[in-house]
Each structure stands twice: as structure tokens, then as C-alpha cells.
Amino acid sequence: MTQLSITTDREIYRPGEEIRGQVHVICDKLETCEALRLDYKGVIQSRVILGSGKHRRIYENVIPVIDNSETLLEAPEFQAGTNSFNFTLTIPRDAPGSYYGHNGWIQYSVSAVIEKKNWPDKTESTPIQIAWLASNPEMKSETIHWPYDKKEESPLELDIQDDVVTLGKDFTFKFRVQDQQKLREVRAYLVYKEQVAPDGIKEAYLDKLGSWRIPDSELTRNSWIDVRLNTSNDWPLPLMSELVWTQYVLRVEVDVPFRFDHVAEIPLKVFYPFETREQESETDTIFEWEKS
């Protein structure tokens, strides 16, 4: 019986760095094969599923970031016990970071493959996590009044004095509702919005991170009401890739009985005074400062 495993020198890498690791082949007796191969892959993927049953349709785009294979050993003999072999791989400098979303993913892996004649290849894979390199550009704050077009009729008005969200600090804005508008409540969210468009089919997933609400009974009509939304420096930064992109938006909903809600979505800029976290998992999206 032959077992495979892969170990690497670190859990998180930055674009441009080297991955140093070992392939371990564990045998209970002398084994031979045609080759020991190493596959190094990275993909950006987006997928939207519409319908169900026989009407189910899958729209998917995949772009390879890395697709390399190399032979570590030709016609090796593996001794009984643990046989370890070193490898070194280089991450492209322009590689996007790892991302694990709802309809989009950016994933990397290293696989060890034993090629044996007349037998299925034996394969063992391990994920490779790559950090996003984030710069800290100067954020120019802007004041936003919504609706943008003053001629547009809307029961809801928003006043945002600063459209920059500093993660870890409260975000504030004001709103007011017209006297005659019937409603149940007003809800406000800070939303991390993931967007994809495989084969031109657009889909957005809203992760509502910060929330606030006020019922109609506590609402003073036609008066400006202050709202304060909490944020956390554990929240992710917006990211941009060829198939999946994310942004923060302020989403305010007026819950109207027996009708569609009135909804306003305002894109926001984000400032992230972060430090690298010590605890990560394989499904975290990690951001680090870009070296100047």
C-alpha cells in the first residue's frame, strides 16, 4: 500500500514568493512506478445556476492563472517507509489572491501524482493560500445626497457626509421619509456585494454585515434621522479579478406593505487600517500591505 502527502513551509504566501515543500511517499514495501509528477494549478471561476430539474442551467467561466506540471522523478524506486522529495515553485507576481465566495472562487493547489503503468494515477492535493496585496491609497471623501437626480420622485432621501467606510469604526448617515409614505419599517445595511457575470448572466450576492432598523411606530416623518452602523476590521477588503469582483454598498430599504420595497444602494469607498491576522483558515480571504 502506498500513501501520498504534501507539506509546505508556510500556510500563506504572497504573489512573487516561492513555495518550498516536500512530497512524502509512504510505502509498506518496495514500490516502483513510471514517474512522480507535481501539478501546480490556480483558477479563477464564476458560476451561476438558474432553474431546477430539467430546466436547470449552469453558466460558468473558468480562467487558468497557473497550469504547470513537472516531473520530480522518472522511474523511481520507493523504499519501504517514508520517502521525501523537495520541490520549489514560484507564485506569479500578478497572481490574484485566494478567494472563496458564493458564486466566484480563486483557488490554488499543488498535487503530487504517482504514474503507474496499467493502474490509475494516485493523486494527493493540498490547497495553497495566497494573500491579496493591498495598497493604502489616499481616500478622497465625498458627500452624497440620494436620489442623485433631484427631479426623481422617491419617498426616501439619504444624506451621506462621508462616503468612506473605515473598517473598525462606525459609519454614519442620515435619512428621511415623506409624510404620506405607508411603511412597516426602514432597514439599513452595510453590504459586501459579490458580483459575477458568467456567459453574460449577471448575478450578485449580498452579504449583509452591519444592520440597523426602525419600525414605523418610532419614525418621525419628514425629519432627518441619524443612523450609526458598526463595522469590524475583520471584514474583507473589496477585490477585483477578471471573473469576480466585490464592493461595499450602503443599502437602505423602506418596507412597504403589499408592495415592492423602496431600495437605495450607494457604493462606498473603504479604508482598512489592518494588520495581518494570526489565526486563519483555508476559507479566509487574507489581505496584507503591499511592500513599497
Side-chain angles (χ1 to χ4, degrees), residues 76 130 145 282 292:
I130 298 178
H145 191 83
E282 292 180 357
S292 57

Side-chain angles (χ1 to χ4, degrees), residues 40-46 61-68 92 94-96 105-108 242-243:
Y40 175 31
K41 298 185 182 297
V43 296
I44 307 173
Q45 182 178 9
S46 63
N61 286 156
V62 178
I63 295 177
V65 180
I66 303 166
D67 189 8
N68 296 335
D94 59 352
W105 306 269
I106 304 173
Q107 301 180 84
Y108 299 87
E242 293 178 76
L243 297 182

